[in-house]
Amino acid sequence: MAQTAREAAIPALAEVFREHGYEGASLALLGARAGLGKGSLYHAFPGGKAEMAQAVLDAIETWFETRIYAPLRDEPDPRAAIRRMLSETETYFRSGGRACLVGAFALTEGRDRFAERIARYFAAWCEALARALRRDGWAEAEAADLAEEAVSAIQGGLVLARALGDPAAFGRMLARLRARLIPGEAAEPGG
Amino acid sequence: MAQTAREAAIPALAEVFREHGYEGASLALLGARAGLGKGSLYHAFPGGKAEMAQAVLDAIETWFETRIYAPLRDEPDPRAAIRRMLSETETYFRSGGRACLVGAFALTEGRDRFAERIARYFAAWCEALARALRRDGWAEAEAADLAEEAVSAIQGGLVLARALGDPAAFGRMLARLRARLIPGEAAEPGG
DNA sequence: CACACCTTGTACCGATCGGTACAAGCGGCA
DNA sequence: TGCCGCTTGTACCGATCGGTACAAGGTGTG
């Protein structure tokens, strides 16, 4: 089944884009990591590299929508949703060992190519988190401001963790964020 | 004078690396932006693209050391130094319209090539800011934590501003940062 | 004016880029 | 067994990659 082969390849493709950026991800790398020859790659993704990137962005968008944004919007207990966001984020980014593909695309020229998707990814995150904060009792303006700060902080934490070669920097950032998003709850004495 | 031609080219080269990343910056782009043919480029930078990137990183390191890190460490009034850091940062990153080259390198494979320089850039910033905070009355641990948070936040603000196509997001982040680094000072009613 | 030297444009190198064409190989099905 | 169609490896395309070689052009000095 083509659908299966395609979807099976996406995580591998995502890692290559994540580590090398859009331009740096060559078909040779993509094929090797996915375990597919050029023929199979182009059979699964007739649109070539651009379609691979689109598919990867689709998958990421879906993952975040399902696991993070939707709970933030709909979970009856907003604090639980925020806690979940923090722990899912920590897992997803492998505690700082993994970069954010969307963030990496945003910084380099990949931005022009995928500007809409990139903007949507971050805007959706901000809006979903702001809604959760609103439901948790924050005023409209404070909720929006705090949400933007949180999403921005996560990106900054990833940059810094990678730059310093110190994934723990990401964990420290998440701990600070927890204290700010859910004040009054005792933070775990960090690992 | 070779020295002058070399140094005159560096800002142009920096912009290309900034917008395209290390791999995405081709010699054609670099030469065109710098207004130099291939011959001149290799005359000024015999080591090729790698030496150009090194020279650009050198220049950035020097700029930040002079304009930001040194004042943070030595300026008698630490609050003035912090205020200066914020305004210099805002200017340097063109109020969010300009990405951070070092951050962009950190996210993609450029990291492996320049890992040491990248780590030093961020570590020096964190340490200098922590020292200023310490001199402003913060306890050792809080100063270090707050400094890391600030440097991380600046990177996050740049990513978000570029991702959303909304440079103002960077300004909002700087305003939040000012309130946290220099509590009690009235913030400008944002522009 | 002539010489020497620094600078630069240009042609060229092998490698690799993203992408295409296509034929051999392989499965299911009768 | 023979057939058919999906899948895939491989050869190949023009373009561009980073880098080198070198000769023409410009400049300062005598």
Side-chain angles (χ1 to χ4, degrees):
Chain A
M1 302 169 193
Q3 193 70 0
T4 294
R6 181 183 163 107
E7 292 187 358
I10 287 181
L13 301 180
E15 288 310 308
V16 178
F17 281 123
R18 206 185 297 279
E19 293 167 17
H20 298 267
Y22 181 77
E23 301 223 297
S26 69
L27 290 183
L29 277 173
L30 291 163
R33 187 77 73 93
L36 294 176
K38 220 180 242 194
S40 314
L41 260 190
Y42 270 82
H43 182 73
F45 304 91
K49 194 166 149 178
E51 185 177 342
M52 298 178 209
Q54 293 283 3
V56 165
L57 288 172
D58 278 342
I60 291 176
E61 221 171 321
T62 300
W63 192 95
F64 274 84
E65 173 60 34
T66 309
R67 306 277 289 255
I68 296 188
Y69 304 164
L72 281 174
R73 283 192 295 258
D74 307 328
E75 162 87 34
D77 176 359
R79 296 214 155 194
I82 293 172
R83 257 182 263 114
R84 173 176 179 159
M85 176 190 97
L86 292 169
S87 69
E88 292 272 16
T89 299
E90 172 151 37
T91 305
Y92 183 83
F93 293 115
R94 306 247 171 80
S95 308
R98 199 194 207 190
C100 176
L101 186 149
V102 190
F105 275 21
L107 282 187
T108 63
E109 46 65 70
R111 197 192 85 98
D112 308 323
R113 217 179 289 263
F114 306 108
E116 239 176 286
R117 321 273 310 237
I118 293 172
R120 185 167 57 215
Y121 169 88
F122 285 107
W125 198 340
C126 286
E127 284 160 22
L129 178 54
R131 184 182 302 204
L133 290 168
R134 190 87 186 74
R135 291 193 294 129
D136 196 35
W138 295 81
E140 187 71 38
E142 279 79 5
D145 201 64
L146 194 46
E148 183 177 275
E149 179 180 359
V151 172
S152 166
I154 288 169
Q155 294 302 309
L158 289 170
V159 171
L160 196 63
R162 254 188 111 71
L164 296 175
D166 174 22
F170 184 67
R172 292 195 291 273
M173 177 258 119
L174 280 182
R176 285 190 294 261
L177 212 50
R178 189 189 306 129
R180 195 154 301 135
L181 294 174
I182 319 180
E185 282 196 10
E188 288 289 309
Chain B
M1 303 170 191
Q3 194 69 1
T4 294
R6 180 184 164 108
E7 294 187 357
I10 287 181
L13 301 180
E15 289 309 308
V16 178
F17 282 123
R18 207 185 295 279
E19 294 166 17
H20 298 267
Y22 182 78
E23 302 223 295
S26 69
L27 290 183
L29 278 173
L30 291 163
R33 187 77 72 95
L36 294 176
K38 221 180 243 197
S40 314
L41 260 189
Y42 270 83
H43 181 74
F45 304 91
K49 193 166 149 179
E51 186 177 341
M52 299 177 210
Q54 294 283 3
V56 165
L57 288 171
D58 278 341
I60 291 176
E61 222 172 319
T62 300
W63 193 95
F64 274 84
E65 173 60 33
T66 309
R67 307 277 288 254
I68 297 189
Y69 305 164
L72 282 173
R73 284 192 295 259
D74 307 328
E75 163 87 35
D77 176 1
R79 296 214 155 194
I82 293 172
R83 257 182 264 114
R84 173 175 179 161
M85 176 190 97
L86 292 170
S87 69
E88 293 271 15
T89 299
E90 173 150 37
T91 305
Y92 183 82
F93 292 116
R94 306 248 170 81
S95 307
R98 201 191 204 192
C100 176
L101 187 148
V102 191
F105 275 19
L107 282 186
T108 62
E109 48 64 71
R111 197 190 86 97
D112 307 324
R113 217 179 289 263
F114 306 107
E116 239 176 284
R117 321 275 310 239
I118 293 172
R120 184 166 58 216
Y121 169 88
F122 286 107
W125 198 341
C126 285
E127 282 159 23
L129 178 53
R131 185 183 302 203
L133 290 167
R134 190 87 185 72
R135 291 194 292 128
D136 196 36
W138 297 80
E140 187 72 37
E142 278 78 6
D145 201 63
L146 194 47
E148 183 177 276
E149 178 180 359
V151 172
S152 167
I154 288 169
Q155 294 301 311
L158 289 170
V159 171
L160 197 62
R162 252 187 112 69
L164 295 177
D166 174 22
F170 184 67
R172 293 195 290 274
M173 177 258 118
L174 280 182
R176 285 190 294 262
L177 211 51
R178 188 189 307 130
R180 195 155 301 132
L181 293 175
I182 319 180
E185 282 196 10
E188 287 289 308

Coordinates of all heavy atoms in Angstrom, one line a residue, chain A residues 81-124:
Chain A
A81 N -4.9 20.5 31.2 CA -4.4 20.7 29.8 C -3.1 21.3 29.7 O -2.2 21.0 28.9 CB -5.5 21.4 29.0
I82 N -2.9 22.3 30.5 CA -1.6 23.0 30.5 C -0.5 22.1 31.0 O 0.6 22.1 30.4 CB -1.7 24.3 31.3 CG1 -2.6 25.3 30.7 CG2 -0.3 24.9 31.5 CD1 -2.9 26.5 31.5
R83 N -0.8 21.4 32.0 CA 0.2 20.4 32.5 C 0.6 19.4 31.5 O 1.7 19.1 31.2 CB -0.3 19.7 33.8 CG 0.3 20.2 35.1 CD -0.2 19.5 36.3 NE -1.3 20.2 36.9 CZ -2.6 19.7 37.0 NH1 -2.9 18.6 36.4 NH2 -3.5 20.4 37.6
R84 N -0.5 19.0 30.8 CA -0.3 18.0 29.7 C 0.6 18.6 28.6 O 1.5 18.0 28.0 CB -1.6 17.6 29.1 CG -1.5 16.7 27.9 CD -2.8 16.2 27.4 NE -2.6 15.4 26.2 CZ -3.4 14.5 25.7 NH1 -4.6 14.3 26.4 NH2 -3.2 13.9 24.6
M85 N 0.3 19.9 28.3 CA 1.1 20.5 27.2 C 2.6 20.5 27.6 O 3.4 20.2 26.8 CB 0.6 22.0 27.1 CG 1.5 22.8 26.1 SD 1.1 24.6 26.1 CE 2.5 25.2 27.2
L86 N 2.9 20.8 28.9 CA 4.3 20.9 29.3 C 4.9 19.5 29.2 O 6.1 19.4 28.7 CB 4.3 21.4 30.7 CG 4.0 22.9 30.8 CD1 3.8 23.3 32.3 CD2 5.0 23.8 30.1
S87 N 4.2 18.5 29.6 CA 4.8 17.2 29.6 C 4.9 16.6 28.2 O 6.0 16.0 27.8 CB 4.1 16.2 30.5 OG 2.8 15.9 30.0
E88 N 3.9 16.8 27.4 CA 4.0 16.4 26.0 C 5.1 17.1 25.3 O 5.8 16.5 24.5 CB 2.7 16.7 25.3 CG 1.5 15.8 25.8 CD 1.4 14.5 25.1 OE1 2.3 14.1 24.4 OE2 0.3 13.9 25.2
T89 N 5.2 18.4 25.5 CA 6.3 19.1 24.9 C 7.7 18.6 25.3 O 8.6 18.4 24.4 CB 6.2 20.6 25.3 OG1 4.9 21.1 24.9 CG2 7.3 21.4 24.7
E90 N 7.8 18.3 26.6 CA 9.1 17.8 27.0 C 9.4 16.5 26.3 O 10.6 16.3 25.9 CB 9.1 17.6 28.5 CG 10.3 16.9 29.1 CD 10.7 17.3 30.5 OE1 9.7 17.5 31.3 OE2 11.9 17.4 30.8
T91 N 8.4 15.6 26.2 CA 8.7 14.3 25.6 C 9.0 14.5 24.1 O 9.9 14.0 23.6 CB 7.4 13.5 25.7 OG1 7.1 13.3 27.1 CG2 7.7 12.1 25.1
Y92 N 8.1 15.4 23.5 CA 8.3 15.5 22.0 C 9.6 16.0 21.6 O 10.3 15.5 20.7 CB 7.2 16.5 21.5 CG 7.2 16.7 20.0 CD1 6.6 15.8 19.1 CD2 7.9 17.7 19.4 CE1 6.7 15.9 17.8 CE2 8.0 17.9 18.0 CZ 7.3 17.0 17.2 OH 7.4 17.1 15.9
F93 N 10.1 17.0 22.4 CA 11.4 17.6 22.0 C 12.6 16.8 22.7 O 13.7 17.3 22.8 CB 11.5 19.0 22.3 CG 10.6 19.9 21.5 CD1 9.5 20.5 22.0 CD2 10.8 19.9 20.1 CE1 8.6 21.3 21.2 CE2 10.0 20.7 19.3 CZ 8.9 21.3 19.8
R94 N 12.2 15.6 23.2 CA 13.2 14.8 23.8 C 14.0 15.5 24.9 O 15.3 15.5 24.9 CB 14.2 14.2 22.8 CG 13.5 13.4 21.7 CD 13.7 12.0 21.7 NE 12.8 11.3 20.7 CZ 13.0 11.3 19.4 NH1 14.1 11.8 18.9 NH2 12.2 10.7 18.6
S95 N 13.3 16.3 25.7 CA 13.9 17.0 26.8 C 15.0 17.9 26.3 O 16.0 18.1 27.0 CB 14.5 16.0 27.8 OG 13.5 15.1 28.2
G96 N 14.8 18.5 25.1 CA 15.8 19.5 24.6 C 16.8 18.9 23.7 O 17.6 19.6 23.1
G97 N 16.8 17.6 23.5 CA 17.7 17.0 22.6 C 17.3 17.1 21.1 O 18.1 16.7 20.2
R98 N 16.1 17.5 20.9 CA 15.6 17.6 19.5 C 15.2 19.0 19.2 O 14.6 19.7 20.0 CB 14.3 16.7 19.5 CG 13.8 16.2 18.2 CD 12.5 15.6 18.4 NE 12.1 14.6 17.4 CZ 10.9 14.1 17.3 NH1 9.9 14.5 18.1 NH2 10.6 13.2 16.4
A99 N 15.5 19.4 18.0 CA 15.1 20.8 17.6 C 13.7 20.9 17.1 O 13.1 19.8 16.9 CB 16.1 21.3 16.5
C100 N 13.2 22.1 17.0 CA 11.8 22.3 16.4 C 12.0 22.5 15.0 O 12.5 23.5 14.5 CB 11.1 23.4 17.1 SG 9.5 23.8 16.4
L101 N 11.4 21.6 14.2 CA 11.5 21.7 12.7 C 10.9 23.0 12.2 O 11.4 23.7 11.4 CB 10.8 20.5 12.0 CG 11.0 20.4 10.5 CD1 11.0 19.0 10.1 CD2 9.8 21.2 9.8
V102 N 9.7 23.3 12.8 CA 9.0 24.5 12.3 C 9.8 25.8 12.7 O 10.0 26.7 11.9 CB 7.6 24.6 13.0 CG1 6.8 25.7 12.3 CG2 6.9 23.3 12.8
G103 N 10.4 25.8 13.9 CA 11.3 26.9 14.3 C 12.5 27.0 13.4 O 12.9 28.1 12.9
A104 N 13.1 25.9 13.0 CA 14.3 25.9 12.1 C 13.9 26.4 10.8 O 14.6 27.2 10.2 CB 14.9 24.5 12.0
F105 N 12.8 26.0 10.3 CA 12.3 26.5 9.0 C 12.0 28.0 9.0 O 12.3 28.7 8.1 CB 11.0 25.8 8.6 CG 11.3 24.5 7.8 CD1 12.5 23.8 8.0 CD2 10.3 23.9 7.0 CE1 12.7 22.6 7.3 CE2 10.5 22.7 6.4 CZ 11.7 22.1 6.5
A106 N 11.5 28.4 10.2 CA 11.2 29.9 10.3 C 12.4 30.7 10.2 O 12.3 31.9 9.7 CB 10.5 30.1 11.7
L107 N 13.5 30.3 10.7 CA 14.7 31.1 10.8 C 15.4 31.3 9.4 O 15.9 32.3 9.1 CB 15.7 30.6 11.8 CG 15.4 30.9 13.2 CD1 16.5 30.5 14.1 CD2 15.1 32.4 13.4
T108 N 15.4 30.2 8.6 CA 16.1 30.3 7.3 C 15.2 30.5 6.2 O 14.0 30.8 6.4 CB 17.0 29.0 7.1 OG1 16.0 27.9 7.0 CG2 17.9 28.8 8.2
E109 N 15.6 30.4 5.0 CA 14.8 30.8 3.8 C 13.6 29.9 3.7 O 12.7 30.2 2.9 CB 15.6 30.8 2.6 CG 16.5 29.6 2.4 CD 15.8 28.3 2.2 OE1 15.2 28.1 1.2 OE2 15.9 27.5 3.2
G110 N 13.6 28.7 4.3 CA 12.5 27.9 4.3 C 11.2 28.7 4.7 O 10.1 28.3 4.3
R111 N 11.4 29.7 5.4 CA 10.3 30.6 5.8 C 9.5 31.0 4.7 O 8.2 30.9 4.7 CB 10.8 31.8 6.6 CG 9.7 32.5 7.4 CD 10.2 33.8 7.9 NE 10.0 34.8 6.9 CZ 9.0 35.7 6.9 NH1 8.1 35.6 7.9 NH2 8.9 36.6 6.0
D112 N 10.1 31.5 3.6 CA 9.4 32.0 2.5 C 8.5 30.9 1.8 O 7.4 31.1 1.4 CB 10.3 32.6 1.4 CG 11.3 33.6 2.1 OD1 10.8 34.4 3.0 OD2 12.5 33.7 1.7
R113 N 9.1 29.7 1.8 CA 8.4 28.6 1.1 C 7.2 28.1 1.9 O 6.2 27.7 1.3 CB 9.4 27.5 1.0 CG 9.3 26.7 -0.3 CD 10.4 25.6 -0.3 NE 11.7 26.1 -0.5 CZ 12.4 26.2 -1.6 NH1 11.8 25.7 -2.7 NH2 13.6 26.6 -1.7
F114 N 7.3 28.2 3.2 CA 6.2 27.6 4.0 C 5.7 28.6 5.0 O 5.1 28.2 6.1 CB 6.8 26.4 4.8 CG 7.4 25.3 3.9 CD1 8.8 25.2 3.9 CD2 6.7 24.6 3.0 CE1 9.4 24.2 3.1 CE2 7.2 23.6 2.2 CZ 8.6 23.4 2.2
A115 N 5.8 29.9 4.7 CA 5.4 30.9 5.6 C 4.0 30.7 6.2 O 3.9 30.8 7.5 CB 5.4 32.3 4.9
E116 N 3.1 30.4 5.4 CA 1.7 30.2 5.9 C 1.6 29.1 7.0 O 1.1 29.3 8.1 CB 0.8 29.9 4.8 CG -0.4 30.9 4.6 CD -1.2 30.5 3.3 OE1 -0.7 30.7 2.2 OE2 -2.3 30.0 3.5
R117 N 2.1 27.9 6.7 CA 2.1 26.8 7.6 C 2.8 27.2 8.9 O 2.3 26.9 10.0 CB 2.8 25.6 7.0 CG 2.6 25.4 5.5 CD 1.3 24.6 5.4 NE 1.3 23.4 6.2 CZ 1.2 22.2 5.7 NH1 1.1 22.0 4.5 NH2 1.1 21.2 6.6
I118 N 3.9 27.8 8.8 CA 4.7 28.1 9.9 C 4.0 29.1 10.8 O 3.9 28.9 12.1 CB 6.1 28.7 9.5 CG1 6.9 27.6 8.8 CG2 6.8 29.3 10.7 CD1 8.2 28.2 8.2
A119 N 3.4 30.1 10.2 CA 2.7 31.1 11.0 C 1.5 30.4 11.7 O 1.2 30.7 12.9 CB 2.2 32.2 10.1
R120 N 0.8 29.5 10.9 CA -0.4 28.9 11.5 C 0.0 28.0 12.7 O -0.7 28.0 13.7 CB -1.0 28.0 10.4 CG -2.3 27.4 10.9 CD -3.1 26.8 9.7 NE -2.3 25.8 9.0 CZ -2.4 25.7 7.7 NH1 -3.2 26.5 7.0 NH2 -1.7 24.8 7.0
Y121 N 1.1 27.3 12.6 CA 1.5 26.4 13.7 C 1.7 27.2 15.0 O 1.1 26.8 16.0 CB 2.9 25.8 13.3 CG 3.6 25.1 14.4 CD1 3.4 23.7 14.6 CD2 4.6 25.7 15.1 CE1 4.1 23.0 15.6 CE2 5.4 25.0 16.1 CZ 5.1 23.7 16.3 OH 5.9 23.1 17.2
F122 N 2.3 28.3 14.9 CA 2.6 29.1 16.1 C 1.3 29.9 16.6 O 1.1 30.0 17.8 CB 3.7 30.1 15.9 CG 5.1 29.4 15.9 CD1 5.8 29.2 14.7 CD2 5.6 28.9 17.1 CE1 7.0 28.6 14.7 CE2 6.9 28.3 17.1 CZ 7.6 28.1 15.9
A123 N 0.6 30.4 15.6 CA -0.6 31.1 16.0 C -1.6 30.2 16.7 O -2.2 30.6 17.7 CB -1.2 31.8 14.7
A124 N -1.8 29.0 16.1 CA -2.7 28.0 16.7 C -2.3 27.7 18.2 O -3.1 27.6 19.1 CB -2.8 26.8 15.9

